[in-house]
């Protein structure tokens, strides 16, 4: 899967804890910081749009997404069928909006599960150090070396049922290593800070230092790592469904693309059954990538794109005040 | 040299874990593993392959012994490249099926992934050098958007627009139907034409990651003192970019190459399926869907080994490029 991995997740979002009031609504500090950045603002808007679509999908989908209608098969997009119909005459628009529910939920839950595993293992290992750290680090590197997709393909081939929770567990088990590596590295930089040493010196037990001191101070980084695994899980899950290794009776973006591929609609010149769910998937991933890129920029100002130069060039083109910056 | 020895030990360990996971997967599923495998098969499949029960028993290490005995037998067989017989290509050995399909995949992912790396780091370097310039504000977002799409979507888009609508590329298989695989000009040129579109799809899917990665590192490198020093010496701008900043900035992306390669091998599975390209990815999917477990397991082992070999090559390259590692 295409991966856009952030290199710097060291973000000072915790520092900006104080909220800002916009009119009557109080915006939490971290959100305000993200909304001020152009990339993460766009990303958050895209993701929020997809979530809203998923939530209100029963209201906007015209029919049951898998109802078939032999009289209306293979129709190009029109006002009646906004995204066209499939080979069975199902409405693609309904499949996409209803499918958003399962796709987003699966990605988010698998991401959340992987985050829990990675946070506990990675952070605890980094803090405890020694042989525990060596073992966790070794395990992480091994999981990063064995190609995830072929492993998932073979593993899901053995599964007797491919329900939602099974897929969540399998995907999380394979993906936790991506996060554990990042979180471990960051916990290593934190573990010798004064507040941790103070907690240790005052006789706090290890588990309390890890879960009471270290982890709360890494919450923003954990959140960023969650966004990363969220979209990887989204891609991986749709990919497995595309290969016919998901729950083929469910409605999700991957399943819709799978049927489009099985019925070789593309080769027959019907672009709509695969294009619309693909666009929804790509747009969501783009949104999440932009959120991550925004977080990166908030934390590392050097990464920001400088806009002033371009504006002045535009002004010069328009023949205006080119030299009055 | 100690660093290198440690890496080697790690790779041996990683291969061992891959083999063990492979061994445990069917056994972790509830119920008897052999019954679990056989229940996927239709009566017709059982009738067509008289040796199938024995094949599965052999695959699972005999079935009559303790799990430890099975495990030793299994490792012994794998060490001799004996993966059993492929049930969907009965009675062809798994190793023969893999040997026939692997070269196509290696060619595809090797060429495409190296191209993606070179193009991506190149663009990332230029974008960081002129932040806010054309490359930074137009090319980088464009690659980011394209890379947000999964590999199979990009492959389908390429298939539809470039292959079907524009007719620039052949859209299926690895070579023309009337050509026989051999080291002849007709075969090689035909194979090359058929590889173009899959390679383009992989490049589209993976370049964006390198662009972002390289840009981030390069932005940090540019503010180093030695880059300022190179400027102060009056060196040509391009020379400072490539020889001073670029050469140092490329090390972190290069270190990430191996992990990315593992994910590219995953993407390859999808791309091969979209183009019906007869590589290991395509074979893996049909093996899993057709319940050909010996073949699926064999491919997983071979792919893991491929990724590890790529890791090893990268380590050697790193050793050459980064003098600090040689003294460690």
């Amino acid at each position: 899967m295409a991966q856009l991995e952030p290199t710097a997740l060291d973000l000072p979002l915790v520092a900006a804890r104080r909220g800002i009031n916009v009119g009557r609504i109080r915006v939490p500090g971290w959100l305000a910081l993200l909304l001020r950045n152009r990339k993460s603002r766009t990303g958050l808007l895209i993701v929020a749009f997809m979530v809203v679509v998923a939530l209100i999908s029963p209201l906007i989908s015209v029919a049951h997404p898998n109802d078939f209608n032999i009289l209306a098969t293979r129709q190009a997009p029109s006002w009646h069928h906004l995204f066209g119909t499939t080979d069975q005459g199902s409405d693609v628009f309904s499949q996409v909006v209803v499918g958003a529910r399962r796709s987003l939920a699966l990605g988010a839950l698998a991401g959340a599960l992987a985050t829990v595993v990675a946070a506990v293992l990675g952070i605890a290992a980094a803090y405890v150090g020694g042989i525990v750290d060596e073992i966790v680090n070794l395990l992480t590197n091994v999981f990063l070396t064995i190609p995830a997709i072929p492993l998932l393909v073979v593993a899901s081939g053995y599964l007797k049922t491919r329900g939602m929770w099974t897929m969540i567990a399998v995907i999380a088990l394979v993906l936790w290593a991506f996060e554990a590596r990042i979180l471990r590295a960051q916990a290593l930089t934190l573990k010798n800070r004064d507040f941790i040493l103070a907690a240790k010196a005052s006789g706090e037990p290890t588990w309390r230092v890890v879960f009471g001191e270290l982890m709360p101070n890494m919450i923003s980084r954990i959140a960023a790592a969650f966004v990363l695994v969220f979209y990887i899980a989204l891609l991986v899950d749709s990919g497995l469904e595309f290969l016919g290794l998901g729950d083929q009776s469910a409605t999700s973006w991957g399943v819709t693309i799978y049927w489009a591929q099985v019925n070789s609609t593309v080769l027959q010149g019907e672009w709509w059954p695969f294009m619309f769910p693909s666009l929804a998937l790509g747009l969501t991933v783009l949104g999440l990538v932009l959120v991550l890129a925004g977080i990166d920029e908030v934390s590392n100002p050097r990464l920001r794109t400088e806009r002033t130069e371009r504006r002045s060039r535009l002004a010069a083109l328009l023949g205006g005040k080119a030299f009055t910056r | 040299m100690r660093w290198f020895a440690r890496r080697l030990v790690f790779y041996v360990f990683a291969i061992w874990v891959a083999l063990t996971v492979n061994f445990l997967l069917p056994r972790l599923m509830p119920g008897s593993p052999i019954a679990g495998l056989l229940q996927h098969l239709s009566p017709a499949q059982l009738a067509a392959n008289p040796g199938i029960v024995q094949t599965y028993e052999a695959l699972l290490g005999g079935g009559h012994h303790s799990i430890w005995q099975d495990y030793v037998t299994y490792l012994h067989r794998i060490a001799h490249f004996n993966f059993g017989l492929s049930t969907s290509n009965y009675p062809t050995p798994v190793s023969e099926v893999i040997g026939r399909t692997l070269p196509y995949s290696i060619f595809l992912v090797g060429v495409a992934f190296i191209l993606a790396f070179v193009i991506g780091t190149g663009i990332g370097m230029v974008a960081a050098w002129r932040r806010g310039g054309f490359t930074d504000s137009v090319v980088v977002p464009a690659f980011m958007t394209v890379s947000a799409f999964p590999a199979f979507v990009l492959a389908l888009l390429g298939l539809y627009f470039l292959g079907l609508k524009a007719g620039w590329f052949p859209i299926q298989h690895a070579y023309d139907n009337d050509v026989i695989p051999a080291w002849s000009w007709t075969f090689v040129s035909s194979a090359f034409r058929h590889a173009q579109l899959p390679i383009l799809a992989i490049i589209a899917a993976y370049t964006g990651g390198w662009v972002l990665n390289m840009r981030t590192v390069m932005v940090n490198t540019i503010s180093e003192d030695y880059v300022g020093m190179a400027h102060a010496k009056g060196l040509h701008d391009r020379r400072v970019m490539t020889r001073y900043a670029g050469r140092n900035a490329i090390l972190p992306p290069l270190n990430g190459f191996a992990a990315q390669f593992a994910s590219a091998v995953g993407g390859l599975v999808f791309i091969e399926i979209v183009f019906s390209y007869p590589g290991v990815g395509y074979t893996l999917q049909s093996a899993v869907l057709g319940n050909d477990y010996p073949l699926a397991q064999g491919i997983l082992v071979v792919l893991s080994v491929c990724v590890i070999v790529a890791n090893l090559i990268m380590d050697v390259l790193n050793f050459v490029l980064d003098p600090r590692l040689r003294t460690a």
Side-chain angles (χ1 to χ4, degrees), chain A residues 113-129 132-137 139-140 143 172-173 176-177 179-185 187 210-211 214-215 218 222:
Chain A
L113 187 59
T115 307
V116 171
V117 176
V120 171
L121 277 182
I123 297 174
Y127 177 71
V128 177
V132 179
D133 190 34
E134 287 282 323
I135 291 173
V136 170
N137 193 24
L139 217 63
T140 313
F143 266 90
L173 265 180
W176 67 272
E179 261 178 300
R181 190 189 49 166
I182 301 170
L183 291 178
R184 177 181 165 272
V210 171
F211 294 104
L214 203 48
M215 223 176 258
M218 289 182 61
I222 296 174

Side-chain angles (χ1 to χ4, degrees), chain A residues 13-322:
Chain A
L13 294 189
V14 185
R17 198 171 272 163
R18 251 193 278 160
I20 298 167
N21 290 315
V22 180
R24 280 183 155 181
I25 309 156
R26 193 171 163 77
V27 183
W30 60 270
L31 189 60
L33 211 55
L34 284 184
L35 285 177
R36 219 174 293 150
N37 181 281
R38 199 166 49 97
K39 280 183 186 156
S40 52
R41 188 171 57 229
T42 318
L44 282 173
L45 277 177
I46 294 174
V47 176
F49 172 74
M50 286 296 173
V51 171
V52 168
V53 166
L55 287 177
I56 64 166
S57 58
L59 302 174
I60 51 176
S61 63
V62 288
H64 191 275
N66 293 331
D67 276 351
F68 44 86
N69 177 2
I70 301 169
L71 298 176
T73 59
R74 301 174 174 197
Q75 289 190 357
S78 64
W79 278 115
H80 196 62
H81 294 287
L82 215 50
F83 289 178
T85 62
T86 66
D87 281 38
Q88 270 74 42
S90 310
D91 182 44
V92 178
F93 177 76
S94 303
Q95 289 196 348
V96 171
V97 293
V98 174
R101 295 190 143 195
R102 189 186 153 91
S103 291
L104 290 177
L106 220 152
L109 288 172
L113 187 59
T115 307
V116 171
V117 176
V120 171
L121 277 182
I123 297 174
Y127 177 71
V128 177
I131 186 80
V132 179
D133 190 34
E134 287 282 323
I135 291 173
V136 170
N137 193 24
L138 189 67
L139 217 63
T140 313
N141 284 328
V142 167
F143 266 90
L144 289 174
T145 310
I146 300 175
I149 298 287
L151 179 62
L152 279 167
V153 167
V154 174
S156 45
Y158 284 118
L159 292 176
K160 293 200 179 80
T161 54
R162 292 181 189 135
M164 186 149 161
W165 292 105
T166 322
M167 296 311 288
I168 289 174
V170 171
I171 290 174
L173 265 180
V174 175
L175 293 184
W176 67 272
F178 284 93
E179 261 178 300
R181 190 189 49 166
I182 301 170
L183 291 178
R184 177 181 165 272
Q186 284 162 352
L188 278 179
T189 67
L190 272 181
K191 76 177 223 188
N192 286 325
R193 297 275 179 90
D194 287 343
F195 68 98
I196 299 289
L197 295 176
K200 212 199 274 184
S202 64
E204 299 251 23
T206 303
W207 65 269
R208 269 200 73 171
V209 181
V210 171
F211 294 104
E213 301 284 344
L214 203 48
M215 223 176 258
N217 278 290
M218 289 182 61
I219 198 75
S220 51
R221 300 149 198 222
I222 296 174
F226 163 74
V227 175
L228 171 72
V229 175
F230 182 0
Y231 82 71
I232 298 180
L234 195 63
L235 287 172
V236 165
D237 172 59
S238 316
L240 284 177
E241 283 167 351
F242 169 72
L243 295 182
L245 292 165
D247 184 356
Q248 291 334 321
S249 58
T251 306
S252 76
W253 294 337
V255 173
T256 305
I257 305 174
Y258 167 76
W259 287 115
Q261 165 79 0
V262 166
N263 297 326
S264 44
T265 49
V266 182
L267 295 178
Q268 292 160 25
E270 296 164 32
W271 49 272
W272 51 93
F274 92 88
M275 190 77 88
F276 289 111
S278 303
L279 276 179
L281 182 62
L283 201 62
T284 313
V285 173
L286 180 67
L288 291 168
V289 169
L290 283 173
V291 171
L292 264 186
I295 292 176
D296 252 6
E297 288 190 357
V298 167
S299 61
N300 186 355
R302 280 187 195 153
L303 291 177
R304 288 174 204 167
T305 312
E306 284 160 16
R307 304 269 299 161
T308 43
E309 197 189 335
R310 239 179 81 207
R311 272 197 202 124
S312 72
R313 203 177 293 159
L314 193 69
L317 272 178
L318 295 173
K321 308 160 204 166

